[in-house]
Amino acid sequence: MNITALQTFLAIVDTGSLVRASQVLHVTQSTVTARLQTLEDGLGQQLLNRQKSGTTLTPAGTRLLRYARIMTGLWRQAQLETSLPAGLASVCTFGCDRELWHGPGRDFFDGVLSGSPEMAVSVLQGSARDLEEWLANGMVDVILTFDSVTRGNQTVHPLPAEELVLYSDQPDTPIDKGPFYIFVDHGAEYRRQHAETYYGAGVARVSLDSSWWALQTMLDRGGSAYLPRALAEPYVAEGKLFQLDAPVYTRKKNLIVNDAAARRWTWFAPLVARMTAAET
């Protein structure tokens, strides 16, 4: 089966149309159509319903989708492994939630580089759903996520909970009196706890789903927001931010690894132990 045709099929599914897929792949729409037709002819099944509003999966396309992601993920892994420069023996493919790159994500990345000089590292950023799917499909070897859903060939390594702390560019500016409070969406459980604590504070003027964006907004425009301690503390040390006297929330985080990969990595268990010890 043609890997390019599978990659084109996935691009259509992910973008929702042949036109957008052609833009992502930097080929003409007729090329995308031809690749899809080749794939459908090879399988003897229609994979996508074409409509003016876009494309939708047929039952056959839905069944193929999982295998397409697995096969293209394995192909990408094979390309990485076989094209490594001299001196590098293997590659660790690491999927990380963007909110966890600061602190534990960087710790894992740095730990691989320093603890395994013969290993290359490939890092992918994704949502919790992306990460879970990539790990299941073999597209990545290990993920750092807030979730703890696993399959039979995976192991969860819980890391110490992330602390969410209220910071401001000015000292002593609580939410109900601060001129510019930024609500950062740290997930459903945080939203519930925040609403219970600050039920009388009203609705924040600005809401963001990225701690990094909130931090940059605070540094540019001032204000206050709940941020991960690992992200904000360097700015506290520089006197750019101040920790306020307010409730501190926590959020679980987990390192989940494919067991077959972990068995090959002599550096993995010591690195996990150091990451756990460093944050307790």
Side-chain angles (χ1 to χ4, degrees), residues 133-150:
E133 190 171 276
W134 293 344
L135 185 61
N137 293 344
M139 188 173 173
V140 297
D141 301 308
V142 57
I143 61 174
L144 182 61
T145 177
F146 293 109
D147 291 346
S148 59
V149 178
T150 62

Side-chain angles (χ1 to χ4, degrees), residues 27 38-39 47 62 90 135 144 151-152 161 170 201 203 213 221 239 249 257 259 261-262 266 271:
V27 297
T38 298
L39 186 61
L47 302 174
T62 301
S90 60
L135 185 61
L144 182 61
R151 310 285 174 97
Q170 299 291 329
V203 178
W213 293 351
R221 305 179 63 91
Y249 305 106
V257 65
D259 292 336
T266 57
L271 176 56

Side-chain angles (χ1 to χ4, degrees), residues 9-20:
F9 168 69
L10 291 176
I12 299 170
V13 172
D14 291 340
T15 62
S17 79
L18 276 70
V19 174
R20 288 192 288 272

Side-chain angles (χ1 to χ4, degrees), residues 9 13 46-49 55-65:
F9 168 69
V13 172
Q46 182 181 342
L47 302 174
L48 294 167
N49 297 310
T55 59
T56 57
L57 287 164
T58 64
T62 301
R63 290 192 292 271
L64 175 65
L65 182 60

Side-chain angles (χ1 to χ4, degrees), residues 234-248:
Y235 299 90
V236 173
E238 295 174 3
K240 295 179 180 179
L241 293 180
F242 299 88
Q243 179 177 337
L244 303 183
D245 183 14
V248 174

Side-chain angles (χ1 to χ4, degrees), residues 171-186:
D172 303 322
T173 52
I175 285 178
D176 55 352
K177 295 180 182 173
F180 186 50
Y181 174 65
I182 304 165
F183 178 79
V184 185
D185 189 349
H186 294 292

